Amino acid sequence: MSINVSDIAANIHQVQQRIAEAGEQSGRQPGDVALLAVSKTKPVEALRAAYQAGQRRFGENYLQESLDKMDRLQDLDIEWHFIGPLQSNKTRNVAERFDWVHTIDRDKIARRLNDQRPANLPPLNVCLQVNIDDEASKSGVAPEQLGKLTEAVIAMPRLRLRGLMAIPAPSEHIDQQRQSFARVAQLQRELREAYPNYDGFDTLSMGMSRDMAAAIAEGATMVRIGTDIFGQRDYTNTSNSNKDTA
């Protein structure tokens, strides 16, 4: 199901209301949870409509598609987040063009991003992706390996480690959703304790359209919402290169 551009502003308002309600129910403060609009496979017209509705943070999964959007939307002060799996041969464009990367899961990728981040730009904001439910189909560092990767990334001067990202196993039960998100939040608390003087660990990127309320209840500071803003994705008009993970 596609969506009319004219509906996007109303959808953003509805999502923001849901974020506010979930936050209030969980004792969170207004503004504690940021909305990241996941705009992969969506046309630039949809992003412009969301921008006109006040949205500034956009998440993209496919590198070539996102670079094209960036070129066509240069007149907008968008904060670009890369949220897809990242291959080592595509790190340079990400390091040069994005503001955030949510999906670092190994030392090699982090080092390439650090080395390729231009000196005239601020350090690249990054999150470490944790495979919290040990799913073979998903990227992410295993929880028991998180400490080693954290230590390496903290030492990289062109990266600023902001926190953790996770995509738990799908579940229709909010209690199960909350259990997975709670484990991610606990890992972040442990990192704060291990590095009390580090200026970071302020971001928990977790929660999507189906499990946003559970994520907010367990401490999410950024939720990644695509379907509830832009509608179901239509991959029929997406190039083969964009279907591949970046």
Side-chain angles (χ1 to χ4, degrees):
M1 178 182 67
S2 61
I3 191 168
N4 293 326
V5 169
S6 60
D7 294 332
I8 290 175
N11 289 347
I12 288 176
H13 177 72
Q14 290 175 1
V15 170
Q16 290 172 335
Q17 285 293 108
R18 289 168 54 201
I19 291 173
E21 290 169 4
E24 183 177 0
Q25 292 172 4
S26 304
R28 309 287 299 277
Q29 296 298 313
D32 279 356
V33 184
L35 172 59
L36 179 62
V38 178
S39 47
K40 63 182 180 182
T41 78
K42 296 302 177 180
V44 293
E45 293 77 14
L47 276 72
R48 283 192 179 276
Y51 185 92
Q52 291 168 1
Q55 182 63 31
R56 295 294 180 268
R57 299 179 181 92
F58 290 85
E60 291 284 333
N61 291 58
Y62 307 123
L63 182 57
Q64 193 54 52
E65 175 192 333
S66 62
L67 295 178
D68 178 65
K69 289 177 181 176
M70 288 177 181
D71 290 341
R72 297 174 63 186
L73 297 171
Q74 292 184 55
D75 56 311
L76 306 182
D77 60 331
I78 288 175
E79 183 179 279
W80 293 101
H81 294 239
F82 190 83
I83 59 173
L86 184 56
Q87 297 171 358
S88 59
N89 64 337
K90 297 185 178 180
T91 54
R92 182 173 297 278
N93 280 318
V94 173
E96 293 176 347
R97 302 290 298 274
F98 280 82
D99 302 295
W100 284 70
V101 176
H102 291 231
T103 50
I104 292 180
D105 62 358
R106 56 196 188 277
D107 181 271
K108 179 181 180 180
I109 295 297
R111 292 191 183 281
R112 289 180 66 88
L113 290 170
N114 177 75
D115 294 345
Q116 294 167 346
R117 182 66 169 177
N120 64 308
L121 295 178
L124 181 64
N125 297 295
V126 300
C127 293
L128 306 183
Q129 181 174 357
V130 182
N131 190 342
I132 196 64
D133 289 322
D134 192 25
E135 294 179 273
S137 62
K138 286 180 182 168
S139 303
V141 61
E144 59 269 21
Q145 297 297 321
L146 180 60
K148 182 178 180 180
L149 181 58
T150 299
E151 183 175 1
V153 172
I154 281 179
M156 299 180 189
R158 303 302 301 151
L159 302 183
R160 183 184 175 199
L161 180 54
R162 300 295 296 270
L164 304 179
M165 180 271 225
I167 308 173
S171 174
E172 298 301 319
H173 302 287
I174 191 167
D175 289 343
Q176 181 60 49
Q177 294 171 359
R178 290 191 61 167
Q179 288 177 19
S180 295
F181 290 130
R183 292 199 302 272
V184 182
Q186 177 60 32
L187 289 172
Q188 177 124 305
R189 286 192 290 270
E190 292 171 1
L191 292 179
R192 287 200 191 105
E193 293 173 0
Y195 300 94
N197 298 320
Y198 185 73
D199 181 22
F201 305 125
D202 57 3
T203 301
L204 278 175
S205 170
M206 57 188 196
M208 297 184 286
S209 294
R210 68 176 184 271
D211 55 14
M212 178 176 67
I216 292 172
E218 296 301 333
T221 65
M222 189 178 297
V223 292
R224 308 181 305 273
I225 308 299
T227 300
D228 286 355
I229 294 175
F230 299 109
Q232 296 292 334
R233 296 184 183 90
D234 180 5
Y235 291 94
T236 58
N237 296 320
T238 306
S239 67
N240 288 333
S241 62
N242 285 345
K243 291 180 182 177
D244 296 334
T245 54

